[in-house]
Amino acid sequence: MLFARKTGPATLIPGVAILFAVYFLYLWRNGDRLAVATPRPAVDDWQPRGQAAFWRNVPVHYPPSSIRPLATGTPVRYPPIQATAFPAQPQDARRQAVKQVFAKCWRSYRELAWGADELTPVSGGRRDPFGGWAATLVDSLDTLWIMDMKAEFAEAVAAAEAINFTHSTLDQVNVFETNIRFLGGFLSAFDLSGDARLLRKAVEVGDMLYKAFDTTTRMPITRWDIRAAARGERQAAPASVLLAEIGSLSLEFTRLSMLTGDARWFDAAQRIADAMAAQQDSTALPGLWPLTADAAQTRPVFDAGSLFTLGAMADSAYEYLPKMAALLGGRLPGYQAMYEKAADAAARHNLFRPLTPTDADILVAGIVHVGEDGSTELEPQAQHLACFLGGMFALGGRLFGREKDMDVAQRLVDGCIWSYKALPHGVMPETFYLAPCPSPGGDCRWDEAAWKREVVRRAGKDKKETDDDDDDANNDDDPTGTAAADAIIAEERLPPGITAITDRRYVLRPEAAESVFVLYRATGRAELLEAAWAMFEAIDAATTTPLANSAVHDVTEAADADGKPQAADAMESFWMAETLKYFYLVFSEPGLVSLDEFVFNTEAHPFRRLVR
Ligand SMILES: *[C@@H]1O[C@H](CO)[C@@H](O)[C@H](O)[C@H]1NC(C)=O
């Protein structure tokens, strides 16, 4: 799509002639496939002015000694991600059903919470947990465009223009959340629509976030005192930051630099990636990085720590490795190298097959603890957040020709589908535990006694943390613990295979739908459509309210008169930005936001890839 610029008819004719000449020269030089790139807009189109230039003009205390330019050169010719054949059955009714749910949520947000970060979907009120910058509005822009709600999109863009990023409702701003939701939302809405006002807003947010890098180490402050920053005070990077929060700025910052030609953002994020690359082999679990990093040292530390997860607080740092390769057309080979090391280490250490009553051949990503002596212990925790991994393995598998990863991707996705089906409402909880098969790759036949032993052991573990004396699980009258297990299973409402549920909520998260979508686009497998539909119907049934959809407290309970779980009166912006978008796209023509043209940020905002 060409970027629409305001041009009079007199300048139009030579302009068009030059465009065609360049186009044919490009075709002649580059052969078959022409990149569907957004041409870089003129500086005048996005340069912030007046109040929008506020963050640009705050004094800088620690300017970088140099700015690394964006990589140039011919992009790598990656293999296609999307399958060549898709099922013929029309999915129109399903797509419309998803759109209706979105439209209802949007109507309620517009009527009751316009301009607020979130609508409260039961009480019909408003909340501002993300700075009061209309998170739901900005996060929903590209979904409005994709669902062809163009009138609503136009109205939302006009409202977004007025968001005041010099003032926040919060004392402390989460830089990561602001980046993925606001910067990501504006960039993607611009990439889809070409509306320059959106790029201007993206630059405004980019200028603000760039200020969080004004530290002696040029590492960002991830939980940021934005008011002190606005006053121009000196600031320091923290000694402990979460891997995901420091490692997931690259995609948005790089896209912003690609669109503006201003390399400052890319340079800022690339310093983080360089430090991660340099220390990837010196961690306690080489290939993976520990959960926290130290950004206060002159040489930031990414290799001190013993806990390794691909789930909460680490997740998107891994997700962004293959996505950076996709975005940049492989112009920085380091990302592929980092991804391959991480994927191999994760597959070896974190992924496990659990015991299930149906002997399902599925995989789940757990947490690895590394001891002082280098020994590893797997904590068989499953998280809804970690369901993004199936999509990551599918994307990396296709992009880098790692055929074996496609099998891993399928089994990870099947693990999330299994987890949805295992619960009474057909909706997976936030975190729970499973019993790993005794030997990986070996016998994994269902063993009810083994499951019950693990239920008792897990309950003892959980109890020990609060009450050391309570050890009735090892009662002498019940040497195998079966009665104790049955009591726990009944009380905790544990489905067969699940050994504990430590966070019983479902908060409208997208990761399962996301991975089903990516794997569907990568394989064209018809059964994924059915899995997606079952998921969507189950989620909507369990979370629907008269106004919208709500997070629920406990996916194992039937609390209200309709037998639904109790609503928590919360609807985070990712419900409309991600969950509903992925469901809509899975039931759309595979050419709509093709993975061969776009790469999604971790908030489901598609950016145009550099493709050859
Ligand atoms: C934006 O917020 C700042 C700080 O509170 C305020 O001074 C300014 O007037 C606001 N701008 C607009 C247009 O409301």
Side-chain angles (χ1 to χ4, degrees):
M1 183 191 310
L2 279 176
F3 181 75
R5 196 115 43 78
K6 289 185 212 82
T7 320
T11 55
L12 206 59
I13 293 152
V16 166
I18 290 166
L19 256 175
F20 269 94
V22 170
Y23 176 79
F24 285 114
L25 187 70
Y26 186 89
L27 273 188
W28 170 67
R29 302 226 3 189
N30 287 274
D32 46 13
R33 190 150 186 274
L34 185 71
V36 195
T38 316
R40 186 184 300 161
V43 172
D44 274 355
D45 285 334
W46 55 260
Q47 192 81 27
R49 288 198 190 80
Q51 187 193 279
F54 174 85
W55 286 105
R56 209 153 252 243
N57 296 325
V58 176
V60 178
H61 299 292
Y62 311 105
S65 52
S66 63
I67 302 284
R68 182 173 172 178
L70 262 169
T72 53
T74 319
V76 173
R77 193 188 297 269
Y78 284 125
I81 292 170
Q82 297 215 151
T84 45
F86 287 90
Q89 307 94 294
Q91 302 294 319
D92 224 59
R94 291 173 172 181
R95 193 173 69 247
Q96 291 309 325
V98 177
K99 183 173 172 175
Q100 269 171 26
V101 170
F102 178 91
K104 171 181 150 188
C105 294
W106 181 256
R107 261 196 316 276
S108 297
Y109 171 75
R110 185 179 172 278
E111 271 168 33
L112 301 166
W114 191 243
D117 284 337
E118 293 171 10
L119 164 78
T120 51
V122 177
S123 52
R126 41 199 294 147
R127 290 180 64 220
D128 279 324
F130 289 103
W133 298 323
T136 294
L137 189 151
V138 178
D139 236 4
S140 299
L141 287 169
D142 56 4
T143 314
L144 289 167
W145 182 270
I146 289 166
M147 292 188 179
D148 202 24
M149 297 170 67
K150 297 287 160 44
E152 290 86 347
F153 176 81
E155 184 185 36
V157 173
E161 248 199 312
I163 298 171
N164 188 346
F165 285 104
T166 69
H167 169 263
S168 166
T169 57
L170 304 172
D171 293 330
Q172 193 186 59
V173 164
N174 185 321
V175 166
F176 161 81
E177 296 286 1
T178 309
N179 174 58
I180 64 171
R181 297 183 200 228
F182 295 94
L183 181 52
F186 284 132
L187 284 170
S188 156
F190 171 74
D191 259 350
L192 291 169
S193 70
D195 188 324
R197 293 173 294 174
L198 294 161
L199 183 57
R200 223 177 293 150
K201 246 15 216 180
V203 169
E204 206 179 318
V205 178
D207 281 346
M208 173 175 77
L209 295 178
Y210 190 70
K211 182 65 190 168
F213 284 75
D214 187 15
T215 64
T216 50
T217 59
R218 292 303 302 174
M219 288 290 122
I221 304 162
T222 48
R223 307 292 174 102
W224 185 37
D225 183 344
I226 190 172
R227 299 201 177 123
R231 289 192 296 268
E233 291 175 20
R234 281 178 194 274
Q235 34 181 36
S240 182
V241 295
L242 294 170
L243 183 63
E245 291 191 354
I246 192 165
S248 319
L249 300 161
S250 51
L251 208 67
E252 295 79 5
F253 276 40
T254 302
R255 186 65 187 140
L256 186 56
S257 285
M258 289 165 81
L259 284 169
T260 57
D262 179 343
R264 287 180 307 139
W265 294 288
F266 163 74
D267 168 72
Q270 196 58 33
R271 286 165 198 268
I272 298 165
D274 288 346
M276 286 171 65
Q279 296 171 57
Q280 190 173 14
D281 301 328
S282 55
T283 70
L285 202 64
L288 302 179
W289 296 275
L291 189 61
T292 56
D294 179 351
Q297 308 294 320
T298 313
R299 167 193 172 276
V301 182
F302 281 90
D303 60 357
S306 58
L307 198 155
F308 295 84
T309 173
L310 291 101
M313 300 177 273
D315 43 20
S316 43
Y318 296 103
E319 176 190 344
Y320 274 16
L321 301 174
K323 290 187 168 181
M324 278 296 284
L327 180 74
L328 280 167
R331 276 176 172 169
L332 290 174
Y335 283 102
Q336 178 173 351
M338 274 197 273
Y339 172 71
E340 299 206 48
K341 282 191 214 176
D344 290 341
R348 188 160 346 110
H349 297 288
N350 293 71
L351 306 192
F352 68 95
R353 181 176 170 188
L355 287 175
T356 61
T358 52
D359 298 335
D361 185 14
I362 59 175
L363 286 175
V364 172
I367 300 171
V368 174
H369 303 264
V370 181
E372 298 272 328
D373 58 354
S375 62
T376 59
E377 194 199 334
L378 174 71
E379 183 184 344
Q381 191 193 66
Q383 298 177 359
H384 195 289
L385 275 166
C387 277
F388 81 96
L389 274 172
M392 184 188 86
F393 272 84
L395 187 84
R398 280 278 182 264
L399 212 53
F400 306 136
R402 291 163 56 94
E403 236 354 90
K404 66 178 193 308
D405 283 3
M406 297 310 292
D407 174 58
V408 174
Q410 179 72 58
R411 294 170 71 203
L412 282 166
V413 169
D414 286 343
C416 297
I417 294 171
W418 180 89
S419 302
Y420 267 71
K421 290 207 176 119
L423 274 295
H425 293 285
V427 179
M428 179 177 176
E430 277 280 280
T431 37
F432 56 101
Y433 284 81
L434 294 157
C437 295
S439 64
D443 185 17
C444 199
R445 259 172 310 173
W446 175 240
D447 178 347
E448 190 168 309
W451 167 52
K452 289 185 174 175
R453 275 195 305 278
E454 189 61 16
V455 167
V456 171
R457 208 178 67 81
R458 191 50 61 200
K461 260 195 167 163
D462 288 350
K463 260 190 205 125
K464 278 225 167 64
E465 277 150 30
T466 49
D467 181 2
D468 253 326
D469 315 318
D470 193 353
D471 211 16
D472 56 7
N474 295 329
N475 195 318
D476 285 344
D477 302 335
D478 180 25
T480 60
T482 307
D486 289 343
I488 298 164
I489 288 163
E491 189 181 337
E492 307 279 314
R493 297 189 290 271
L494 300 179
I498 293 181
T499 59
I501 306 179
T502 42
D503 186 342
R504 311 178 83 86
R505 294 172 302 153
Y506 172 67
V507 300
L508 304 172
R509 280 197 197 288
E511 294 78 16
E514 166 185 349
S515 280
V516 170
F517 160 73
V518 176
L519 190 65
Y520 174 70
R521 286 290 182 87
T523 63
R525 287 189 193 133
E527 67 270 18
L528 291 167
L529 291 172
E530 303 314 308
W533 182 243
M535 253 178 208
F536 170 74
E537 283 204 300
I539 291 173
D540 189 43
T543 65
T544 189
T545 74
L547 294 173
N549 294 78
S550 173
V552 294
H553 287 299
D554 182 347
V555 295
T556 69
E557 70 172 8
D560 70 7
D562 313 329
K564 294 205 312 264
Q566 195 195 343
D569 200 14
M571 183 176 80
E572 278 216 47
S573 62
F574 51 62
W575 168 245
M576 296 171 78
E578 301 192 66
T579 316
L580 291 174
K581 183 189 287 144
Y582 283 129
F583 279 127
Y584 183 83
L585 285 174
V586 93
F587 301 126
S588 297
E589 286 302 308
L592 183 64
V593 198
S594 164
L595 294 177
D596 293 318
E597 291 168 27
F598 290 90
V599 60
F600 286 82
N601 89 336
T602 194
E603 189 76 1
H605 295 305
F607 302 159
R608 274 188 195 278
R609 295 173 52 189
L610 193 65
V611 282
R612 187 173 139 206

